[in-house]
Amino acid sequence: DAKTTQPTSMDCAEGRAANLPCNHSTISGNEYVYWYRQIHSQGPQYIIHGLKNNETNEMASLIITEDRKSSTLILPHATLRDTAVYYCIVRVESGGYQKVTFGIGTKLQVIP
Amino acid sequence: EPEVTQTPSHQVTQMGQEVILRCVPISNHLYFYWYRQILGQKVEFLVSFYNNEISEKSEIFDDQFSVERPDGSNFTLKIRSTKLEDSAMYFCASSLASGSYEQYFGPGTRLTVT
């Protein structure tokens, strides 16, 4: 699995867009970019994933650069409840089970 | 929206005692997992389970640990003889199938071994 690099921590003002970067310069062609988050003391939560194209769902948008060496998770209007640790993970999708390998992630603090 | 549930939310036990942590995965999911998180550390994979068998286990998942799906809904993690270092949050997760990395996690059980 490709290694990812994320900033250790970030702040964002409530109501503003939170842009969380992730570098994955060694990503291979069949590896997807996944984002999870973990709100304090809760179970991790799947957010979004993508391969090449930008993706959007009700929680967030994922922007992947054309060379796929980096991506940005965007929370369009951050709220205090978005304060969490955000994990960027790259992984091949293949048949069967796949364990999630969590790194340290980015601690996002949304400030009132 | 369907969700993974776990009981109890907090379990306190004495060293050497057996504990069973319970999980009810999402009903149409086929793959089940246990993870743990020691306070202040990363979430770590313990074991995955499919078709009534362990698919993969980490080095943490030694002979003191076992998993079971005793009926069509529950998925349990048993620790036979707890140690102080087993104190952690234990998360159950489930996924639908076919290699999706999209796993749904429960709220966790906080295990405290005294």
Side-chain angles (χ1 to χ4, degrees), chain A residues 84-109:
Chain A
V85 178
Y86 287 78
Y87 302 99
C88 170
I89 303 160
V90 295
R91 185 72 191 229
V92 173
E93 272 203 1
S94 60
Y97 74 93
Q98 290 200 27
K99 65 186 179 190
V100 180
T101 302
F102 292 92
I104 297 171
T106 296
K107 187 168 185 178
L108 175 70
Q109 181 73 46

Side-chain angles (χ1 to χ4, degrees), chain A residues 47-96:
Chain A
I47 301 172
I48 199 167
H49 75 282
L51 182 63
K52 296 181 191 176
N53 300 323
N54 299 336
E55 302 287 344
T56 296
N57 63 21
E58 65 278 3
M59 287 182 68
S61 294
L62 174 60
I63 308 297
I64 303 174
T65 57
E66 198 169 331
D67 63 7
R68 302 208 327 120
K69 292 186 178 182
S70 65
S71 60
T72 302
L73 179 76
I74 301 172
L75 309 177
H77 306 286
T79 71
L80 298 179
R81 286 177 295 182
D82 292 321
T83 292
V85 178
Y86 287 78
Y87 302 99
C88 170
I89 303 160
V90 295
R91 185 72 191 229
V92 173
E93 272 203 1
S94 60

Side-chain angles (χ1 to χ4, degrees), chain A residues 1 34 36 38 41-46 49 87 89 91-104, chain B residues 31 33 35 37 42-45 48 55-56 89 91 95 97-108 110:
Chain A
D1 298 335
Y34 277 80
Y36 278 78
Q38 187 178 24
S41 296
Q42 295 182 24
Q45 180 186 24
Y46 163 82
H49 75 282
Y87 302 99
I89 303 160
R91 185 72 191 229
V92 173
E93 272 203 1
S94 60
Y97 74 93
Q98 290 200 27
K99 65 186 179 190
V100 180
T101 302
F102 292 92
I104 297 171
Chain B
Y31 293 84
Y33 313 81
Y35 295 79
Q37 186 174 33
K42 296 181 198 178
V43 177
E44 300 173 289
F45 167 78
S48 59
S55 307
E56 184 180 356
M89 281 289 284
F91 297 108
S95 64
S98 300
S100 172
Y101 213 41
E102 187 177 335
Q103 293 182 13
Y104 293 85
F105 284 74
R110 179 171 297 283

